[in-house]
Amino acid sequence: MQSLEGKVALVTGASSGIGAAVAQTLAGAGMKVVAGARRTERLAELTATQEYGGEIVTVKLDVTDEQSVRDAVATTVERFGRLDLVVNNAGVMLVGPVQTADTADWNRMVQTNLLGSMYVAHAALPHLLETKGTLIQTSSTSGRSASAGNGVYAATKFGVNAFTEALRQEVTAQGVRVVSIAPGMVDTELASHVTDPQILAMAAKLYASVRTLSPQDIANAVLYAATQPDHVTVNELTIRPTDQVA
Ligand code: NDP
Protein backbone atom coordinates (compact mmCIF):
# COMPACT_ATOMS: atom_id res chain seq x y z
CA MET A 1 0.00 0.00 0.00
CA GLN A 2 1.17 3.52 -0.69
CA SER A 3 0.51 6.39 1.68
CA LEU A 4 -1.84 9.17 0.61
CA GLU A 5 -0.57 11.56 3.28
CA GLY A 6 -0.05 15.07 1.95
CA LYS A 7 -1.39 14.22 -1.49
CA VAL A 8 -4.21 16.23 -3.05
CA ALA A 9 -7.65 15.01 -4.20
CA LEU A 10 -10.62 16.56 -5.94
CA VAL A 11 -13.95 14.81 -5.27
CA THR A 12 -17.03 15.78 -7.28
CA GLY A 13 -20.54 15.19 -5.98
CA ALA A 14 -19.23 15.45 -2.43
CA SER A 15 -22.27 17.10 -0.84
CA SER A 16 -23.99 13.78 -0.08
CA GLY A 17 -23.85 10.02 -0.35
CA ILE A 18 -20.80 8.35 -1.85
CA GLY A 19 -18.88 11.56 -2.58
CA ALA A 20 -19.22 12.81 1.01
CA ALA A 21 -17.97 9.48 2.38
CA VAL A 22 -15.09 9.45 -0.11
CA ALA A 23 -14.04 13.01 0.79
CA GLN A 24 -14.03 12.21 4.50
CA THR A 25 -12.24 8.90 4.01
CA LEU A 26 -9.49 10.44 1.89
CA ALA A 27 -9.03 13.26 4.41
CA GLY A 28 -8.87 10.58 7.10
CA ALA A 29 -6.00 9.02 5.16
CA GLY A 30 -4.14 12.33 5.27
CA MET A 31 -5.12 13.85 1.94
CA LYS A 32 -5.83 17.49 1.20
CA VAL A 33 -9.30 17.17 -0.30
CA VAL A 34 -11.22 19.66 -2.39
CA ALA A 35 -14.89 18.66 -2.18
CA GLY A 36 -17.15 20.01 -4.91
CA ALA A 37 -20.90 20.14 -5.56
CA ARG A 38 -23.65 22.71 -6.12
CA ARG A 39 -25.14 22.65 -2.58
CA THR A 40 -22.48 24.49 -0.63
CA GLU A 41 -24.54 24.35 2.58
CA ARG A 42 -24.32 20.56 2.46
CA LEU A 43 -20.61 20.66 1.69
CA ALA A 44 -20.15 22.78 4.82
CA GLU A 45 -21.29 19.78 6.88
CA LEU A 46 -18.23 17.75 5.84
CA THR A 47 -15.73 17.22 8.58
CA ALA A 48 -12.15 16.11 8.12
CA THR A 49 -10.47 13.78 10.58
CA GLN A 50 -7.30 15.63 11.36
CA GLU A 51 -5.55 12.44 12.53
CA TYR A 52 -3.04 12.25 9.67
CA GLY A 53 -3.09 15.94 8.77
CA GLY A 54 -5.93 15.56 6.29
CA GLU A 55 -8.01 18.56 5.33
CA ILE A 56 -11.21 19.29 3.40
CA VAL A 57 -11.90 22.53 1.60
CA THR A 58 -15.11 23.00 -0.32
CA VAL A 59 -15.79 24.50 -3.71
CA LYS A 60 -19.05 25.32 -5.47
CA LEU A 61 -19.08 23.16 -8.58
CA ASP A 62 -21.60 22.46 -11.30
CA VAL A 63 -20.12 19.77 -13.54
CA THR A 64 -22.53 20.64 -16.36
CA ASP A 65 -20.79 24.02 -16.64
CA GLU A 66 -17.37 23.57 -18.20
CA GLN A 67 -16.05 26.84 -16.78
CA SER A 68 -17.15 25.84 -13.27
CA VAL A 69 -15.22 22.57 -13.69
CA ARG A 70 -12.10 24.40 -14.89
CA ASP A 71 -12.38 26.82 -11.96
CA ALA A 72 -12.64 23.95 -9.43
CA VAL A 73 -9.53 22.27 -10.83
CA ALA A 74 -7.68 25.61 -10.85
CA THR A 75 -8.75 26.32 -7.26
CA THR A 76 -7.42 22.92 -6.19
CA VAL A 77 -4.02 23.45 -7.78
CA GLU A 78 -3.75 27.07 -6.58
CA ARG A 79 -4.60 26.06 -3.03
CA PHE A 80 -2.49 22.91 -2.71
CA GLY A 81 0.02 23.13 -5.55
CA ARG A 82 -0.78 19.81 -7.21
CA LEU A 83 -3.50 17.29 -8.00
CA ASP A 84 -2.91 13.58 -7.38
CA LEU A 85 -6.36 12.02 -7.36
CA VAL A 86 -9.72 12.87 -8.91
CA VAL A 87 -12.86 11.02 -7.87
CA ASN A 88 -15.26 11.81 -10.71
CA ASN A 89 -18.44 10.99 -8.89
CA ALA A 90 -21.20 13.59 -9.42
CA GLY A 91 -24.31 12.05 -10.89
CA VAL A 92 -28.09 11.98 -11.08
CA MET A 93 -30.44 9.04 -11.65
CA LEU A 94 -33.81 10.20 -12.99
CA VAL A 95 -35.10 6.84 -14.12
CA GLY A 96 -38.40 5.93 -15.75
CA PRO A 97 -39.74 4.28 -18.91
CA VAL A 98 -39.00 5.87 -22.27
CA GLN A 99 -42.63 6.26 -23.28
CA THR A 100 -43.67 8.48 -20.39
CA ALA A 101 -40.35 10.22 -19.82
CA ASP A 102 -39.87 13.92 -19.34
CA THR A 103 -36.95 14.44 -21.70
CA ALA A 104 -35.67 17.22 -19.42
CA ASP A 105 -34.61 14.35 -17.12
CA TRP A 106 -32.65 12.78 -19.99
CA ASN A 107 -30.93 16.06 -20.62
CA ARG A 108 -29.91 16.40 -16.98
CA MET A 109 -28.54 12.86 -16.84
CA VAL A 110 -26.52 13.19 -20.03
CA GLN A 111 -25.25 16.67 -19.07
CA THR A 112 -24.25 15.58 -15.58
CA ASN A 113 -23.23 11.92 -15.70
CA LEU A 114 -21.70 11.81 -19.12
CA LEU A 115 -20.65 15.23 -20.39
CA GLY A 116 -19.98 16.59 -16.89
CA SER A 117 -17.67 13.75 -15.98
CA MET A 118 -15.86 14.19 -19.33
CA TYR A 119 -15.31 17.89 -18.56
CA VAL A 120 -13.84 16.92 -15.18
CA ALA A 121 -11.46 14.35 -16.69
CA HIS A 122 -10.40 16.77 -19.42
CA ALA A 123 -9.70 19.66 -17.04
CA ALA A 124 -7.83 17.49 -14.53
CA LEU A 125 -5.77 15.50 -17.00
CA PRO A 126 -2.80 17.88 -17.45
CA HIS A 127 -2.30 17.89 -13.67
CA LEU A 128 -2.69 14.11 -13.34
CA LEU A 129 -0.10 13.66 -16.10
CA GLU A 130 2.24 15.88 -14.12
CA THR A 131 1.85 13.92 -10.86
CA LYS A 132 1.30 10.51 -12.49
CA GLY A 133 -1.95 10.62 -10.59
CA THR A 134 -5.16 8.60 -10.46
CA LEU A 135 -8.62 9.19 -11.95
CA ILE A 136 -11.44 7.22 -10.37
CA GLN A 137 -14.68 7.17 -12.31
CA THR A 138 -17.95 6.33 -10.57
CA SER A 139 -19.82 4.09 -12.97
CA SER A 140 -22.65 1.74 -11.96
CA THR A 141 -23.89 -1.79 -12.38
CA SER A 142 -26.33 -0.02 -14.73
CA GLY A 143 -23.27 0.51 -16.92
CA ARG A 144 -23.00 -3.26 -17.30
CA SER A 145 -26.60 -4.24 -17.98
CA ALA A 146 -29.54 -2.03 -18.87
CA SER A 147 -33.07 -2.91 -17.86
CA ALA A 148 -36.59 -1.66 -18.50
CA GLY A 149 -37.05 1.76 -16.95
CA ASN A 150 -33.39 2.78 -16.72
CA GLY A 151 -32.42 3.12 -20.38
CA VAL A 152 -31.05 6.65 -20.31
CA TYR A 153 -29.32 6.37 -16.93
CA ALA A 154 -27.75 3.11 -18.14
CA ALA A 155 -26.77 4.78 -21.42
CA THR A 156 -24.88 7.46 -19.49
CA LYS A 157 -23.03 4.85 -17.43
CA PHE A 158 -22.26 2.68 -20.49
CA GLY A 159 -20.90 5.91 -21.94
CA VAL A 160 -18.79 6.55 -18.85
CA ASN A 161 -17.33 3.05 -19.21
CA ALA A 162 -16.47 3.62 -22.88
CA PHE A 163 -14.82 6.96 -22.12
CA THR A 164 -12.96 5.48 -19.16
CA GLU A 165 -11.49 2.59 -21.13
CA ALA A 166 -10.44 4.82 -24.03
CA LEU A 167 -8.81 7.30 -21.66
CA ARG A 168 -7.07 4.48 -19.79
CA GLN A 169 -5.48 3.32 -23.02
CA GLU A 170 -4.40 6.88 -23.85
CA VAL A 171 -2.65 7.68 -20.56
CA THR A 172 -1.68 4.50 -18.74
CA ALA A 173 1.75 4.34 -20.39
CA GLN A 174 2.35 7.85 -19.05
CA GLY A 175 1.75 6.63 -15.51
CA VAL A 176 -1.80 7.87 -14.96
CA ARG A 177 -4.03 5.24 -13.41
CA VAL A 178 -7.65 5.23 -14.62
CA VAL A 179 -10.04 3.26 -12.46
CA SER A 180 -13.72 2.45 -12.84
CA ILE A 181 -15.82 1.67 -9.78
CA ALA A 182 -19.29 0.26 -10.48
CA PRO A 183 -21.52 0.17 -7.40
CA GLY A 184 -24.80 -1.65 -7.13
CA MET A 185 -27.48 -0.28 -4.83
CA VAL A 186 -26.05 2.14 -2.28
CA ASP A 187 -28.10 3.79 0.45
CA THR A 188 -27.96 7.45 -0.60
CA GLU A 189 -30.42 10.13 -1.69
CA LEU A 190 -29.81 9.32 -5.38
CA ALA A 191 -33.15 7.60 -6.04
CA SER A 192 -35.09 10.23 -4.08
CA HIS A 193 -34.67 12.74 -6.92
CA VAL A 194 -36.68 10.65 -9.42
CA THR A 195 -39.32 12.97 -10.84
CA ASP A 196 -42.08 10.45 -11.73
CA PRO A 197 -44.00 9.78 -8.45
CA GLN A 198 -44.83 6.20 -9.43
CA ILE A 199 -41.23 5.35 -10.30
CA LEU A 200 -40.06 7.15 -7.17
CA ALA A 201 -42.21 4.83 -5.04
CA MET A 202 -41.00 1.77 -6.96
CA ALA A 203 -37.36 2.78 -6.55
CA ALA A 204 -37.83 3.30 -2.81
CA LYS A 205 -39.39 -0.15 -2.54
CA LEU A 206 -36.58 -1.74 -4.54
CA TYR A 207 -33.89 -0.15 -2.36
CA ALA A 208 -35.79 -1.21 0.79
CA SER A 209 -35.92 -4.81 -0.44
CA VAL A 210 -32.18 -5.47 -0.08
CA ARG A 211 -29.45 -4.85 2.44
CA THR A 212 -28.00 -1.95 0.46
CA LEU A 213 -24.36 -0.93 0.46
CA SER A 214 -23.39 2.08 2.53
CA PRO A 215 -21.51 5.04 1.02
CA GLN A 216 -18.59 3.97 3.21
CA ASP A 217 -18.46 0.60 1.39
CA ILE A 218 -17.69 2.48 -1.82
CA ALA A 219 -15.29 4.87 -0.09
CA ASN A 220 -13.38 1.79 1.08
CA ALA A 221 -13.10 0.65 -2.54
CA VAL A 222 -11.81 4.07 -3.59
CA LEU A 223 -9.22 3.90 -0.82
CA TYR A 224 -8.20 0.39 -1.91
CA ALA A 225 -7.68 1.46 -5.52
CA ALA A 226 -5.89 4.70 -4.61
CA THR A 227 -3.44 3.10 -2.19
CA GLN A 228 -2.13 0.42 -4.54
CA PRO A 229 1.54 0.79 -5.49
CA ASP A 230 2.15 2.97 -8.56
CA HIS A 231 2.69 0.00 -10.84
CA VAL A 232 -0.74 -1.48 -9.98
CA THR A 233 -3.94 -0.13 -11.52
CA VAL A 234 -7.19 -1.61 -10.34
CA ASN A 235 -8.98 -1.12 -13.66
CA GLU A 236 -12.48 -2.06 -12.64
CA LEU A 237 -14.28 -2.83 -9.42
CA THR A 238 -17.91 -3.96 -9.30
CA ILE A 239 -19.46 -3.93 -5.85
CA ARG A 240 -23.00 -5.17 -5.31
CA PRO A 241 -24.99 -5.77 -2.16
CA THR A 242 -25.00 -9.51 -1.55
CA ASP A 243 -28.80 -9.45 -1.89
CA GLN A 244 -28.72 -7.72 -5.30
CA VAL A 245 -29.20 -10.28 -8.07
CA ALA A 246 -29.05 -8.26 -11.32
P1 NDP B 1 -26.29 11.36 -4.13
O1 NDP B 1 -27.53 11.90 -4.74
O2 NDP B 1 -26.20 11.25 -2.66
O3 NDP B 1 -25.02 12.21 -4.61
C1 NDP B 1 -24.94 12.76 -5.89
C2 NDP B 1 -23.92 13.88 -5.83
O4 NDP B 1 -23.77 14.43 -7.14
C3 NDP B 1 -24.37 15.00 -4.91
O5 NDP B 1 -23.27 15.44 -4.15
C4 NDP B 1 -24.80 16.09 -5.88
O6 NDP B 1 -24.52 17.35 -5.32
C5 NDP B 1 -23.84 15.83 -7.04
N1 NDP B 1 -24.29 16.45 -8.27
C6 NDP B 1 -25.43 16.24 -8.96
N2 NDP B 1 -25.49 17.05 -10.02
C7 NDP B 1 -24.35 17.81 -10.00
C8 NDP B 1 -23.82 18.83 -10.81
N3 NDP B 1 -24.48 19.29 -11.89
N4 NDP B 1 -22.62 19.36 -10.49
C9 NDP B 1 -21.96 18.93 -9.40
N5 NDP B 1 -22.39 17.97 -8.58
C10 NDP B 1 -23.59 17.42 -8.89
O7 NDP B 1 -26.05 9.95 -4.82
P2 NDP B 1 -24.85 8.90 -4.77
O8 NDP B 1 -23.85 9.26 -3.76
O9 NDP B 1 -25.49 7.59 -4.73
O10 NDP B 1 -24.26 9.09 -6.24
C11 NDP B 1 -22.89 9.30 -6.50
C12 NDP B 1 -22.52 8.60 -7.79
O11 NDP B 1 -22.69 7.20 -7.59
C13 NDP B 1 -23.39 8.96 -8.99
O12 NDP B 1 -22.57 9.09 -10.12
C14 NDP B 1 -24.31 7.76 -9.15
O13 NDP B 1 -24.75 7.58 -10.47
C15 NDP B 1 -23.36 6.65 -8.69
N6 NDP B 1 -24.03 5.41 -8.28
C16 NDP B 1 -24.89 5.38 -7.21
C17 NDP B 1 -25.55 4.22 -6.87
C18 NDP B 1 -26.54 4.15 -5.76
O14 NDP B 1 -27.25 3.12 -5.65
N7 NDP B 1 -26.65 5.14 -4.89
C19 NDP B 1 -25.30 2.96 -7.62
C20 NDP B 1 -24.35 3.10 -8.69
C21 NDP B 1 -23.74 4.28 -9.00
P3 NDP B 1 -25.34 18.72 -5.55
O15 NDP B 1 -26.78 18.33 -5.80
O16 NDP B 1 -25.11 19.45 -4.27
O17 NDP B 1 -24.68 19.38 -6.71
Side-chain angles (χ1 to χ4, degrees):
M1 268 191 25
Q2 68 166 295
S3 168
L4 298 177
E5 261 184 87
K7 291 191 170 174
V8 178
L10 171 64
V11 181
T12 73
S15 60
S16 60
I18 294 168
V22 167
Q24 285 173 317
T25 298
L26 295 176
M31 293 194 89
K32 313 288 183 200
V33 178
V34 176
R38 294 165 304 176
R39 291 171 299 175
T40 48
E41 73 288 357
R42 293 285 296 270
L43 289 171
E45 293 168 17
L46 291 171
T47 51
T49 314
Q50 298 295 324
E51 203 176 344
Y52 302 104
E55 185 180 347
I56 298 180
V57 302
T58 64
V59 65
K60 189 174 171 66
L61 166 66
D62 181 347
V63 297
T64 68
D65 174 351
E66 195 173 358
Q67 189 56 49
S68 172
V69 170
R70 296 201 171 282
D71 290 348
V73 170
T75 299
T76 307
V77 176
E78 273 159 29
R79 173 79 188 244
F80 294 119
R82 54 188 290 134
L83 179 56
D84 301 280
L85 171 65
V86 173
V87 184
N88 203 357
N89 168 77
V92 289
M93 184 184 75
L94 308 170
V95 286
V98 171
Q99 200 179 354
T100 54
D102 178 348
T103 56
D105 287 347
W106 295 1
N107 204 33
R108 273 187 64 201
M109 284 190 282
V110 171
Q111 293 287 335
T112 309
N113 304 359
L114 193 51
L115 206 48
S117 78
M118 292 176 187
Y119 291 152
V120 171
H122 184 251
L125 197 55
H127 304 287
L128 296 177
L129 284 163
E130 213 168 285
T131 56
K132 296 191 188 301
T134 303
L135 172 67
I136 298 185
Q137 305 271 85
T138 307
S139 180
S140 168
T141 48
S142 296
R144 300 185 177 278
S145 58
S147 53
N150 85 346
V152 179
Y153 179 71
T156 65
K157 295 299 186 175
F158 271 77
V160 167
N161 291 348
F163 179 86
T164 301
E165 174 56 14
L167 181 60
R168 187 193 68 75
Q169 291 182 24
E170 288 178 25
V171 298
T172 193
Q174 294 167 78
V176 176
R177 304 188 299 179
V178 179
V179 178
S180 169
I181 295 186
M185 283 186 272
V186 187
D187 183 19
T188 70
E189 64 181 65
L190 188 75
S192 72
H193 299 293
V194 170
T195 56
D196 178 325
Q198 244 181 325
I199 307 295
L200 178 65
M202 277 169 61
K205 215 171 147 188
L206 181 66
Y207 272 70
S209 71
V210 298
R211 291 168 296 162
T212 47
L213 301 171
S214 71
Q216 189 60 48
D217 295 325
I218 307 305
N220 293 345
V222 167
L223 193 61
Y224 170 75
T227 53
Q228 294 304 306
D230 282 337
H231 71 286
V232 178
T233 303
V234 178
N235 294 139
E236 295 177 21
L237 276 171
T238 300
I239 306 153
R240 287 187 181 86
T242 308
D243 298 341
Q244 183 181 335
V245 176

